[in-house]
Amino acid sequence: MPSMPKPDPDLLQRMEGLLAALPARKRLMFGTAAWFADSNAQMFAGVWGDRVNVRVGKDAVSELVDSGGADPFEPMPGRPMKEYVLLDAASVSDAAGLRSWIERGLEFAESLPPKRKRR
């Protein structure tokens, strides 16, 4: 299995600061930090090395990737997460831009049904 990139400490700290006031909880996913909506336990964002993954929905993924605004999020080769994009470091370098992406991901996740608990 390929190694997962370690989260950039500065980016992780910025994400934690931005998400502290939002209705979300941080958990480990793929060996790094990810955030889940309090309302339904759906994952919507995470730190991937020096990049951020955000859940935007299948239609938006195609649009964003085709426009060059993001890359598909593929945590394991050949296994893309179809509703997520991977933003480059420049896309999230400014706080307002990063906050906008996080809020977009949270809004999308909150529109989904509650995640079923595993047994």
Side-chain angles (χ1 to χ4, degrees), residues 30-116:
F30 307 120
T32 187
W35 284 267
F36 295 75
D38 283 345
S39 63
N40 60 7
Q42 293 282 357
M43 187 172 89
F44 67 92
V47 175
W48 191 252
D50 65 349
R51 302 174 80 181
V52 172
N53 62 66
V54 179
R55 190 173 197 174
V56 294
K58 288 180 187 177
D59 295 337
V61 167
S62 298
E63 181 182 314
L64 289 164
V65 170
D66 290 347
S67 73
D71 293 318
F73 179 49
E74 193 171 292
M76 291 178 262
R79 302 202 50 191
M81 291 185 70
K82 295 178 173 123
E83 293 186 330
Y84 291 79
V85 292
L86 188 60
L87 308 172
D88 63 28
S91 297
V92 297
S93 62
D94 111 294
L98 182 55
R99 180 183 308 279
S100 176
W101 280 108
I102 290 168
E103 289 172 351
R104 180 177 178 172
L106 178 59
E107 182 178 328
F108 179 79
E110 289 179 330
S111 74
L112 301 171
K115 187 86 166 172
R116 289 192 322 214

